[in-house]
Amino acid sequence: MRSALAAAVLVAATGVVTSATPAAATPESSLQQIVPAPVEVTTRPGTAFALTAATEIRTQPGSAEARRVGEYLAGLLRPSTGYRLPVQPARSPRGITLLLTGADPRVGEQGYQLDVTPAAVVLRARTADGLFSGVQTLRQLLPAKVESPTRQRGPWTVPGGSVLDHPRFGHRGAMLDVARHFFSVDEVKRYVDQIAAYKINRLHLHLADDQGWRIEIKSWPNLAVHGGSTEVGGGPGGYYTQEQYRELVAYAASRHITVVPEIDLPGHTNAALSSYPELNCDGVAPPLYTGTEVGFSSLCIGKEITYTFVDDVLRELAALTPGEYLHIGGDEAHATTEPDYLTFMNRVLPLVAKHGKKATGWHEFLKAEPGAGAVAQYWGTTGAAPELAAAAARGTTIVLSPANRAYLDMKYDENTELGLSWAGYVEVRDAYDWNPGAYLEGVPESAIRGVEAPLWTETLTNSDEIEQMAFPRLLAVAELGWSPASTHDWTGFATRLAAQGPRLAARGVDYYASPQVPWRN
């Protein structure tokens, strides 16, 4: 029975069976436990590579990008192993070698090819993005204690075999709301490291809302100084200076994650309205807001100063952000009439293009029929959304964040202390058991840009609380974004997810031990 179960898990995870050896009994079992599930895995039973004090990390000669990935890998492994792991140009495939040549063409721009023999670990890709993704798989092939920040006792073995892998969708995102509660640069960096481990490549930062404005805008300084001075519950709030924001963007880039900043418009704007009276139709600034209700605020659509304000904000944010997209929100604008909403979006969408960016927004902004390069982020709870099908036919691509599947702030069950439940309870299986490629009626998979897991923070105040709500559900969404549809199987995923428990614990991630998952000690 145990052999049959191991074989079934391997089929679910990889589509390739090379051994029916029991999963718990052999070193090669870790090739069957990778999250997200790879496209193709081949095991070589009885063989392994041993990481030792003499191991070197070698990278593509002449490639600064490959060297940076090699240095990142060394930085991951040195604390727990205590080894020097020098990084130098590859002269031959010895030790751990990262190459930008010779990869199977199927890996594309983000995939990789990993081969492990007793003599060497060789990771090949066409790009540094691919190498970085391969490193995330390699770290899962070492014992879980390799994730520890302190020195541990070996041995450090990597099971023999090979992996050929590439993502199903190009956009695999996590959204962090820093507006409802403010999170420091170090707290955001911590989250960046955690999501990067599972091949997330977009960080959507929700930078402004009714409760707080979190990014310095030099042409409108009171936005941050006043608008950023509180948060839900009346805490001190905070904001990022432009230098700090650049630091976050650079740090995310070092983890091969692109930051997508969001300024939610024209609603969710009380912090801005409180900062500048002239943005209000009556010229009177409302007080700062520390509650959690939505839909009551709106910029004044008929005032020209509104568009000067938006232009300045987008101009400064675009200059700070290397990524191609700016998120302009557009959701829950209940205080804006539909004609005013359309007027506003028809003025603002060209401003995004003016500053060299493409627009993305919550799916409500489709009412303004943005151009073919726009991206709509869908947060609804049903697959019946005819406006999405019409937009896809016009060339709009879609990021899926259905609230009853992908919202990480939803409670797991009625006993969950943190989070909300307006979209229902979302246990780990709920987060996993849906198919992004077939979720929206009338929308082909080709129109799906990817998936994203938003984490709203009305009830969250620190990293431990972020981790309780994000993990392990974020791993489910990460797998939906990366792994081929043929690997989708709850039983197999739950088994592989259980093997991640000790890794999360070794990294100090305060994850929720869902009763749906057969966790390991």
Side-chain angles (χ1 to χ4, degrees):
M1 286 294 292
R2 292 182 65 196
S3 296
L5 175 61
V9 169
L10 183 58
V11 171
T14 68
V16 175
V17 176
T18 59
S19 172
T21 307
T26 64
E28 56 266 24
S29 64
S30 56
L31 279 163
Q32 304 167 15
Q33 297 166 357
I34 300 167
V35 175
V39 172
E40 186 177 301
V41 169
T42 303
T43 61
R44 298 189 181 99
T47 66
F49 171 83
L51 183 72
T52 70
T55 300
E56 297 177 347
I57 296 175
R58 300 175 176 233
T59 64
Q60 181 71 40
S63 172
E65 286 187 317
R67 182 175 179 86
R68 282 192 288 270
V69 177
E71 292 285 3
Y72 167 83
L73 174 59
L76 288 176
L77 303 182
R78 285 170 181 151
S80 56
T81 64
Y83 299 156
R84 289 181 58 247
L85 299 172
V87 180
Q88 54 189 312
R91 295 183 296 274
S92 62
R94 293 172 50 198
I96 300 175
T97 304
L98 281 58
L99 299 175
L100 292 170
T101 59
D104 189 302
R106 288 177 291 170
V107 304
E109 295 301 301
Q110 296 184 33
Y112 62 92
Q113 181 178 335
L114 177 65
D115 293 291
V116 181
T117 68
V121 172
V122 181
L123 179 60
R124 298 179 184 272
R126 295 175 59 186
T127 66
D129 285 347
L131 288 180
F132 189 83
S133 292
V135 162
Q136 307 316 315
T137 293
L138 174 59
R139 68 194 288 189
Q140 291 189 33
L141 299 183
L142 285 157
K145 59 189 173 182
V146 79
E147 304 289 349
S148 174
T150 59
R151 188 166 182 174
Q152 306 291 311
R153 178 176 296 182
W156 306 103
T157 57
V158 183
S162 62
V163 179
L164 189 145
D165 203 9
H166 51 83
R168 181 181 182 185
F169 298 108
H171 181 118
R172 302 173 305 282
M175 190 220 79
L176 181 61
D177 168 23
V178 297
R180 271 50 179 271
H181 280 101
F182 180 68
F183 295 90
S184 70
V185 169
D186 286 343
E187 287 173 317
V188 177
K189 286 181 177 179
R190 178 176 174 85
Y191 196 51
V192 165
D193 281 330
Q194 291 166 348
I195 66 178
Y198 296 97
K199 303 184 177 72
I200 296 294
N201 67 347
R202 297 289 186 275
L203 175 64
H204 171 181
L205 283 177
H206 186 77
L207 290 168
D209 214 296
D210 292 313
Q211 298 86 351
W213 186 285
R214 307 303 183 197
I215 179 69
E216 176 190 23
I217 301 298
K218 293 184 183 294
S219 56
W220 297 74
N222 217 36
L223 289 170
V225 174
H226 176 74
S229 65
T230 192
E231 59 189 6
V232 167
Y239 66 89
Y240 308 117
T241 66
Q242 293 198 356
E243 291 71 23
Q244 288 173 323
Y245 177 79
R246 287 192 186 96
E247 180 184 345
L248 282 176
V249 168
Y251 191 83
S254 75
R255 272 59 178 162
H256 293 257
I257 292 173
T258 300
V259 170
V260 179
E262 179 187 356
I263 302 296
D264 206 345
L265 303 166
H268 290 276
T269 47
N270 191 80
L273 297 171
S274 182
S275 301
Y276 287 96
E278 59 267 40
L279 298 178
N280 297 270
C281 288
D282 61 4
V284 178
L288 290 169
Y289 180 69
T290 61
T292 59
E293 295 301 317
V294 300
F296 62 88
S297 61
S298 178
L299 294 171
C300 189
I301 306 305
K303 279 189 170 183
E304 195 60 29
I305 189 68
T306 294
Y307 304 101
T308 301
F309 162 75
V310 174
D311 193 13
D312 287 340
V313 170
L314 295 180
R315 170 178 53 80
E316 292 195 33
L317 197 55
L320 296 168
T321 305
E324 62 180 330
Y325 284 93
L326 296 181
H327 202 300
I328 57 173
D331 63 316
E332 297 177 321
H334 305 319
T336 313
T337 67
E338 183 151 333
D340 277 354
Y341 184 92
L342 295 176
T343 295
F344 178 83
M345 283 296 173
N346 287 333
R347 290 288 302 273
V348 169
L349 286 165
L351 295 179
V352 177
K354 171 185 172 182
H355 298 299
K357 302 297 182 182
K358 297 176 183 178
T360 181
W362 302 106
H363 67 269
E364 290 98 319
F365 93 142
L366 291 175
K367 291 183 290 188
E369 297 191 2
V375 175
Q377 185 168 1
Y378 181 66
W379 60 275
T381 58
T382 173
E387 72 275 21
L388 272 295
R394 295 193 302 266
T396 296
T397 54
I398 299 160
V399 170
L400 288 172
S401 300
N404 57 345
R405 298 289 189 173
Y407 268 35
L408 302 179
D409 56 298
M410 291 298 105
K411 292 176 179 288
Y412 291 92
D413 58 32
E414 66 275 9
N415 298 315
T416 307
E417 294 183 4
L418 301 169
L420 304 173
S421 59
W422 61 264
Y425 300 126
V426 180
E427 249 290 3
V428 180
R429 185 165 187 171
D430 299 311
Y432 183 79
D433 253 351
W434 60 287
N435 178 5
Y439 182 78
L440 290 174
E441 296 174 11
V443 177
E445 181 165 331
S446 59
I448 303 302
R449 187 177 182 86
V451 295
E452 187 169 295
L455 183 55
W456 302 99
T457 63
E458 287 94 337
T459 68
L460 311 182
T461 63
N462 57 50
S463 287
D464 281 346
E465 291 173 349
I466 286 175
E467 291 161 14
Q468 273 281 303
M469 301 306 284
F471 297 94
R473 291 181 293 191
L474 182 64
L475 278 65
V477 179
E479 175 145 314
L480 293 179
W482 180 278
S483 303
S486 61
T487 68
H488 191 93
D489 171 75
W490 164 250
T491 301
F493 174 71
T495 302
R496 288 180 290 110
L497 183 57
Q500 297 299 312
R503 296 182 181 279
L504 294 169
R507 288 203 295 274
V509 176
D510 190 16
Y511 70 94
Y512 168 67
S514 167
Q516 295 184 338
V517 179
W519 299 104
R520 302 181 183 185
N521 295 327

